[in-house]
Structure formats: structure tokens, C-alpha cells
Amino acid sequence: MALRKLLLGVVVVILIYVVLFSRALIIETKVENMPRFGEVNFKECPAKIEIKEVRDKIGNYVNFIIHGKTYTLRGFFGEYLYFPEGIFLMAGYPSDPYAPNTDMVFLDSFLNKKWERCLGRSVWFKYYHDGKIILGDGCVYWIEAETGNFKYFCPKTGLITDVKERGCLSYVATAEGYVYLLREYKIEKGTRVAKPWKGENLRALVKVGVGENYIAVIYSFVNPPGDEKRGLCVYTRNLIKLACKRLSYTPGQVAVVNNIIFVKDFYTGQIRAYRVYSLL
């Protein structure tokens, strides 16, 4: 009986806090099963591909040699990836905002060219999701692997730091601390999670985790003297802010499973779990 009263009292206190001060509480908790963080494991490419980067007075080129056939793309650096739809070749100038182009070619499983594209800006591979190749830098591009058709979004608030998909919704984070909600690739809402330091930022990390009910955003901004702003914020899927929490460590990655937020330490790799208590 005493334990039941104690638990009831705790619940009442939490509800009063949520109603008066915040829409939610973020409380660190212990969880046995932690999620696995890391890049998507793409299938091993069935074709042997040799990459040769060429530098000369005329320009920079990347040659992709596949079964004796050469595909030449303009750029300083080249990369290839194998998706269920085929092989994606790309070359360009990663992280160079003044780069003239990003070239790409897509081959089917029989090594026939399906399509090619040249984007007049510097973008690079972010990740693959449900038949879409997602590229980003100053803008984010969603390219259909089957056709090469694409949609794009340019937020004009810093470089793209993360892109996540959930059904028809897309969430785009930038180095200026903004997160944008897009529906069918059209902007619906934007919010600023945190402000970076004035002047130069040695690190401007903003990452998004998308769950069934909640969106979690982690951030870390470091200035030249080594001062750091770092934290975790939780939103509804419609980007209604619920609560924020300062972190005592540098966050690196974030994931959402039901009402639990998992944050991976940037340096140590340790994963911490936070439970979200909210009336929304």
C-alpha cells in the first residue's frame, strides 16, 4: 500500500512538472537491449571495379574501370556503391562549397548504363533509403535509383549534416542548428534546435533520430578555444518541441525506439538510453 502511494505521488509530481514547465520529461534509464549503430551494410558489388584518379593541367578526372570498360567522370575523388537496383558511380569534390559539379552514372546488374547525371554543385552520398539515393552538402537530393529522377531542397542555413526518412516525411538537419520537416519533399516546417558559436565552429554536428512518435535531435558545437555546446532535444513528428536536455558528453549518433532515445558517445562509443515521458 505504501509503495503504491509512493508511485502515485511520483506520477503526480511528473504530471505537474510536465504541465507547468515542459511538455515532456527526458530521464536517463537502463535498457538491456541497445540498438546497433553504424552505416548500412550494402551488398558486396558483384563486379570488380578499379578506380583511378587522374590529375593533370586540364582538370581532375576519375576513371572507373569495369570489365575492360572505362567510365570517366569529372572530379577530385570517386566512389562506387552497390544497391539492389544496380551500381552507382560518382565523382566530385566532397566538402568543397565552390566545386563546379558532381558527376554520376548508374549501371544495372548487367553493367548496362541506366542513367547519368551532372549536378552543378558539390554534394556527396549520405545514405540509401527505400530505392532513393540521398546526397547532401549545401542542398539535399533524393534521386530515384531506377530512373535518375530527383527532388531537391536547399535550406540556406548551413551545410546538410543529416537526412532521415519516415514514410512521406523527411527531416533535414543543418550545421546552423536547424531541422526542417518536409512532406513529399516540400517544406512544411522548420525550427532551430540550438545556435552554434559566433564565428568559427570546429565542429558543427547536428543529427536526427526518427521514431514512431518522437524525433530526437543531438547537437555539438565546438569553438576554437575548445568550448562546447551539446545537448539532446525531443520533438513530435510534426516538430512540436517537447523538451531538451544538456549532455555531459559529446553525442555522436542518435536513434529512437518507441519512447526511448539512444545516444552514442562521439569519443567512447558508449550508448546511453533516455526515456521520454509526455502527454502528447
Side-chain angles (χ1 to χ4, degrees):
M1 189 67 178
L3 179 59
R4 184 178 298 177
K5 287 183 178 180
L6 177 61
L7 292 175
L8 181 60
V10 171
V11 171
V12 170
V13 170
I14 291 175
L15 290 176
I16 292 174
Y17 180 89
V18 169
V19 171
L20 295 180
F21 302 105
S22 178
R23 294 187 177 99
L25 284 177
I26 305 172
I27 299 178
E28 188 167 357
T29 186
K30 291 185 178 180
V31 177
E32 291 185 3
N33 298 320
M34 295 291 189
R36 294 182 63 183
F37 287 89
E39 298 295 328
V40 178
N41 292 321
F42 300 112
K43 294 181 180 179
E44 184 178 352
C45 186
K48 182 179 179 181
I49 301 177
E50 183 181 0
I51 299 178
K52 290 185 177 180
E53 296 165 353
V54 180
R55 318 271 188 264
D56 59 30
K57 295 180 180 180
I58 299 176
N60 301 306
Y61 300 90
V62 179
N63 292 325
F64 296 87
I65 304 171
I66 310 172
H67 289 185
K69 187 172 183 178
T70 301
Y71 294 90
T72 300
L73 306 182
R74 296 170 298 167
F76 186 83
F77 179 78
E79 183 179 17
Y80 69 89
L81 296 159
Y82 180 58
F83 304 121
E85 296 82 3
I87 303 171
F88 180 60
L89 315 177
M90 68 180 304
Y93 305 82
S95 302
D96 182 356
Y98 305 104
N101 62 276
T102 302
D103 286 1
M104 56 197 77
V105 170
F106 200 89
L107 311 176
D108 64 19
S109 299
F110 299 100
L111 305 181
N112 299 313
K113 185 191 294 185
K114 297 183 70 172
W115 52 264
E116 60 183 324
R117 290 284 181 273
C118 175
L119 301 179
R121 62 174 67 245
S122 173
V123 292
W124 209 249
F125 179 74
K126 288 296 183 183
Y127 79 116
Y128 169 91
H129 174 78
D130 196 22
K132 294 188 292 290
I133 302 167
I134 301 175
L135 310 178
D137 201 346
C139 298
V140 56
Y141 286 79
W142 294 267
I143 303 178
E144 295 290 340
E146 284 288 353
T147 64
N149 297 330
F150 64 86
K151 303 285 186 180
Y152 69 95
F153 170 62
C154 300
K156 298 181 181 179
T157 54
L159 297 179
I160 305 296
T161 58
D162 201 10
V163 183
K164 288 295 188 297
E165 304 280 300
R166 187 81 179 194
C168 65
L169 303 180
S170 303
Y171 299 89
V172 179
T174 75
E176 289 293 324
Y178 286 89
V179 173
Y180 296 92
L181 165 63
L182 290 82
R183 188 180 300 272
E184 298 291 350
Y185 312 113
K186 295 181 180 179
I187 186 168
E188 192 167 278
K189 187 177 181 181
T191 187
R192 195 169 204 177
V193 178
K195 291 183 179 181
W197 297 99
K198 291 183 179 180
E200 183 182 6
N201 281 260
L202 301 180
R203 181 193 299 121
L205 181 149
V206 184
K207 295 287 185 180
V208 181
V210 181
E212 190 68 32
N213 300 312
Y214 301 117
I215 306 302
V217 184
I218 56 172
Y219 62 89
S220 169
F221 299 108
V222 179
N223 63 11
D227 302 316
E228 182 177 12
K229 297 179 181 179
R230 56 199 178 196
L232 161 68
C233 291
V234 179
Y235 296 80
T236 66
R237 290 184 61 184
N238 293 323
L239 281 190
I240 298 174
K241 185 177 180 179
L242 297 178
C244 288
K245 179 182 183 68
R246 291 183 179 179
L247 299 177
S248 60
Y249 58 94
T250 300
Q253 297 184 64
V254 61
V256 182
V257 180
N258 298 321
N259 68 327
I260 299 179
I261 313 296
F262 297 92
V263 180
K264 186 174 183 179
D265 191 301
F266 184 86
Y267 293 106
T268 68
Q270 180 183 353
I271 299 175
R272 293 175 172 86
Y274 302 88
R275 192 177 298 274
V276 179
Y277 296 91
S278 175
L279 299 178
L280 298 182

